[in-house]
Amino acid sequence: MTLRLAATPSGLEAAAHILREGGLVAFGTETVYGLGGDASQPKAVARIFEAKNRPRFNPLISHFATASAAFEQVSASPLAHKLAEAFWPGPLTLVLPRSQNSTVSDLAADGLNSLAVRVPRGDAVQTLLALVDRPIAAPSANRSGRISPSDASHVLEELEGRIDAVLDTGPCTVGIESTVLDLTQPERPVLLRHGGITPEALEAVCGPLSYPETTSDTAPVSPGRMLSHYAPTLPVRLDVTRLDTTDALLAFGPNPPHGAGYVFNLSEKGSLEEAAARLFAGLRFLDKKGAELGLKAIAVSPIPAQGLGLALRDRLHRAAAPRPAERDVT
Ligand code: TXA
Ligand code: MG
């Protein structure tokens, strides 16, 4: 049984209690719903992997109510402080050297000397994290390889019966995961994952960004960069301008092309923010609707490769990638 808790004082107390006892609670952040467990309890972390049906361990992001709580777990450089000042609470994850006295379990950090930390935005999640007052590991609350959840009902579709509770904090406002920035090499910030904070916004604070040397499917540096991910059931085609009647179109902008069997527009006015907030819900919706109508594929309109469009294109590229038999993704 999975409890559905409202984001009221008593719901938040109940969620905090479950987390402190080593249970699993999914909760909304500004990006997507996270599947939360106490990062300092290896058993709770192991349960996260089990609930997601993830075949292998991966390092998880630890979530905190404040930057000072986050920076107790890592050794934070002046640049980390500057970025925290500019973007926290908000959709930025910083990878930093794990401090000697970090309470985050080896299982949550995957035995690495580094740790990913983040301070999410949102009244309910902030209150919850402050109540628990421990690092909370929270990968996206979907089964491994599937579309990330941006609403409490999506979480229940994925994990009903496999987790203790979901805290219903409403739909996520950003809708796409946090940007992951590796700060373990001084003077060389490396952008590991596109997300809710654009590269332009980061560069305005920290100067030019570097990118990982390899973008291969198996790059060990950041396992969440695995290629096949966010996979709907229907196959996905990108940058489509010619449509078939058996296509379900994921459109972007005014006047989408005609000819598809069904259309869901991410943003009629062509706003990348609006499109990001609707991306995962749109994919989920078209996947269901398409199957219902007997459609054969999800066709995606071209999305500009700039600003938040980079994160949108990254997620769509993964949704379209060939799917391995055995999933090994977050
Ligand atoms: O927006 C988000 O970040 C959401 C919400 C729930 O906070 N969480 C999320 O977590 O997307 P997850 O586990 O799905 O993605 C974590 C990403 C992965 O790409 C993982 O490889 C990377 O962070 N990561 C975690 N620890 C790392 C580390 N020490 N070094 C490099 N990458 C790391
Ligand atoms: Mg994920």
Side-chain angles (χ1 to χ4, degrees):
M1 248 284 285
T2 298
L3 287 172
R4 189 171 185 143
L5 300 170
T8 55
S10 64
L12 287 160
E13 285 286 352
H17 179 76
I18 294 170
L19 286 170
R20 291 182 72 96
E21 294 293 305
L24 302 186
V25 179
F27 52 81
T29 73
E30 79 283 37
T31 60
V32 298
Y33 272 71
L35 172 47
D38 181 348
S40 58
Q41 298 184 46
K43 266 194 193 153
V45 177
R47 285 191 62 203
I48 294 178
F49 291 113
E50 210 174 272
K52 281 180 67 88
N53 203 15
R54 202 196 275 196
R56 229 190 52 179
F57 296 138
N58 258 342
L60 301 177
I61 300 172
S62 288
H63 297 66
F64 303 87
T66 61
S68 56
F71 289 160
E72 277 171 25
Q73 303 288 332
V74 289
S75 134
S77 56
L79 180 57
H81 281 277
K82 215 167 126 187
L83 287 161
E85 186 84 3
F87 298 110
W88 281 353
L92 176 66
T93 292
L94 299 176
V95 177
L96 289 158
R98 182 148 65 123
S99 64
Q100 291 275 319
N101 51 5
S102 163
T103 53
V104 172
S105 63
D106 270 333
L107 192 53
D110 197 25
L112 298 172
N113 295 327
S114 60
L115 184 67
V117 294
R118 139 166 159 80
V119 177
R121 191 167 64 214
D123 292 342
V125 68
Q126 287 263 323
T127 306
L128 176 66
L129 292 170
L131 282 172
V132 183
D133 196 24
R134 291 185 196 159
I136 296 298
S140 47
N142 50 277
R143 297 236 197 163
S144 198
R146 300 251 314 135
I147 302 167
S148 299
S150 51
D151 209 335
S153 61
H154 302 162
V155 174
L156 290 171
E157 278 172 25
E158 296 283 323
L159 299 170
E160 171 95 73
R162 300 173 75 91
I163 61 176
D164 299 298
V166 56
L167 182 69
D168 188 348
T169 49
C172 302
T173 53
V174 173
I176 205 158
E177 290 90 342
S178 61
T179 301
V180 180
L181 188 67
D182 182 345
L183 293 180
T184 53
Q185 305 170 64
E187 315 300 323
R188 188 173 176 269
V190 181
L191 195 150
L192 294 180
R193 178 175 78 179
H194 284 292
I197 302 285
T198 64
E200 294 90 331
L202 284 177
E203 287 188 332
V205 176
C206 68
L209 296 173
S210 300
Y211 290 84
E213 258 122 58
T214 164
T215 51
S216 113
D217 209 0
T218 50
V221 57
S222 189
R225 300 175 68 246
M226 296 289 171
L227 199 53
S228 176
H229 201 147
Y230 310 104
T233 317
L234 291 175
V236 178
R237 293 193 336 273
L238 301 181
D239 295 319
V240 173
T241 47
R242 295 185 56 174
L243 293 161
D244 195 277
T245 51
T246 56
D247 285 334
L249 176 65
L250 189 66
F252 177 76
N255 315 314
H258 292 288
Y262 195 86
V263 182
F264 179 96
N265 202 325
L266 286 171
S267 173
E268 274 168 31
K269 58 179 191 229
S271 148
L272 290 167
E273 283 77 23
E274 186 182 27
R278 285 159 58 81
L279 176 70
F280 292 131
L283 273 175
R284 233 170 237 282
F285 174 76
L286 276 190
D287 203 28
K288 266 196 217 141
K289 195 76 188 170
E292 239 170 73
L293 298 173
L295 304 181
K296 297 283 180 337
I298 296 176
V300 186
S301 290
I303 290 175
Q306 63 188 52
L308 265 188
L310 292 167
L312 278 153
R313 292 183 62 87
D314 170 82
R315 302 306 186 274
L316 287 164
H317 180 66
R318 289 165 205 266
R323 293 144 198 194
E326 191 189 64
R327 301 204 180 285
D328 187 16
V329 288
T330 60

